Amino acid sequence: MSVTGSAIGRGAARPLMRLVTMSGAPILRQLHLEERLLRRTEDNWCIINDSTALPTIVMGVSGRVSELVEIEPVLRDRVPVIRRFSGGGTVIVDQGTVFVTFICNKSAVEGLQPFPRDIMSWSGQLYGKVFDRFGEFHLRENDYAFSHRKFGGNAQSITKNRWVHHTSFLWDYDVKNMDYLKIPKRAPEYRLARNHTDFLCRMKEYLPSRSVFTDGVITALGEHFSVQPTDLETVLSPDEEFSPSTKLLSEQDLEEIVSSKGSSHRVQKAEEARS
């Protein structure tokens, strides 16, 4: 199920990018949708989701829960933990998070090699145009930052013919929620061992509104693509055979990891069983 198309702009054909905008969609549903669009369609997509209702921890496909999450407070407060289909680090998302995802064919961006650093560099240039009026924007290692403080975390998945680059942007965040996350052992160098509150910043301190940000993303994409707002119901039919790899970890999963704390081998086995 693929609808192809392009538009002529500035003397050259621009590939079609389908734009889907949502507000408050649960992050698990969004990740299932993204994985399906990546694996079961041939179109280019941009997904923008303005917030998700409940605070939720989202981990990369290879992340170790015991090393990244404060499990006992998470169980006590019943905070959902998701293991997504892409790589990258661990975040906690909520109503203050804005999500932007690009899903593209390898040939969609002229001259772009489908490798993690190349895709990251391209995204940094694109977002540089979005933020150039609002702060000292930098792509620092794999993060987006104003000066030396992070406000955007990225993850990617690259298949044979397609790639996805998705970002959780901190429009705002609740400091208390950061206590559910451990400081990762493999932190970026520019973090300099700072705690969460010293390391992060809020986009709302730099931009006047969320819509200014999302409109800026769409405008920047328009330099590379013919952006077409799309109603998913008109292009996606039911696909009962598709089984997403993104999973919600159960309380039992987390409890078993806690009970295995005394043995690193048992912890590893418990986590592998949940991957």
Side-chain angles (χ1 to χ4, degrees), residues 78-237:
R78 306 178 70 86
V79 179
V81 179
I82 293 170
R83 189 185 299 280
R84 63 177 179 266
F85 68 95
S86 59
T90 300
V91 295
I92 185 162
V93 298
D94 57 18
Q95 293 180 338
T97 312
V98 181
F99 306 92
V100 181
T101 297
F102 307 131
I103 303 169
C104 293
N105 293 314
K106 286 189 174 181
S107 60
V109 180
E110 185 177 359
L112 177 63
Q113 296 298 310
F115 300 113
R117 288 188 179 181
D118 299 81
I119 296 169
M120 192 69 68
S121 176
W122 173 80
S123 76
Q125 294 173 37
L126 184 141
Y127 283 116
K129 296 176 181 178
V130 177
F131 295 117
D132 64 353
R133 295 184 293 117
F134 301 109
E136 187 183 334
F137 172 77
H138 296 278
L139 171 61
R140 295 199 181 279
E141 300 179 48
N142 296 322
D143 299 334
Y144 303 137
F146 284 127
S147 188
H148 292 275
R149 300 182 71 190
K150 174 181 175 179
F151 68 90
N154 300 288
Q156 299 174 347
S157 180
I158 301 172
T159 66
K160 181 179 179 181
N161 296 309
R162 290 164 65 73
W163 54 264
V164 58
H165 176 90
H166 44 198
T167 307
S168 55
F169 288 97
L170 295 177
W171 179 260
D172 195 4
Y173 68 88
D174 187 336
V175 173
K176 298 190 300 296
N177 287 343
M178 297 302 162
D179 292 338
Y180 294 119
L181 304 181
K182 295 181 178 180
I183 295 179
K185 294 179 180 179
R186 295 178 58 187
E189 289 185 12
Y190 83 99
R191 182 165 187 155
L192 299 174
R194 288 176 289 172
N195 62 30
H196 294 303
T197 53
D198 290 337
F199 177 54
L200 303 173
C201 69
R202 297 171 170 87
M203 289 174 63
K204 71 175 188 178
E205 298 170 357
Y206 295 86
L207 278 74
S209 68
R210 296 180 190 229
S211 61
V212 165
F213 166 58
T214 55
D215 288 349
V217 172
I218 296 168
T219 298
L221 281 174
E223 297 186 12
H224 301 274
F225 298 93
S226 173
V227 180
Q228 178 179 309
T230 300
D231 182 350
L232 282 172
E233 293 182 358
T234 66
V235 295
L236 284 184
S237 55

Side-chain angles (χ1 to χ4, degrees), residues 22-33:
M22 305 183 291
S23 180
I27 186 58
L28 183 62
R29 190 176 86 189
Q30 177 186 336
L31 288 165
H32 285 173
L33 171 64

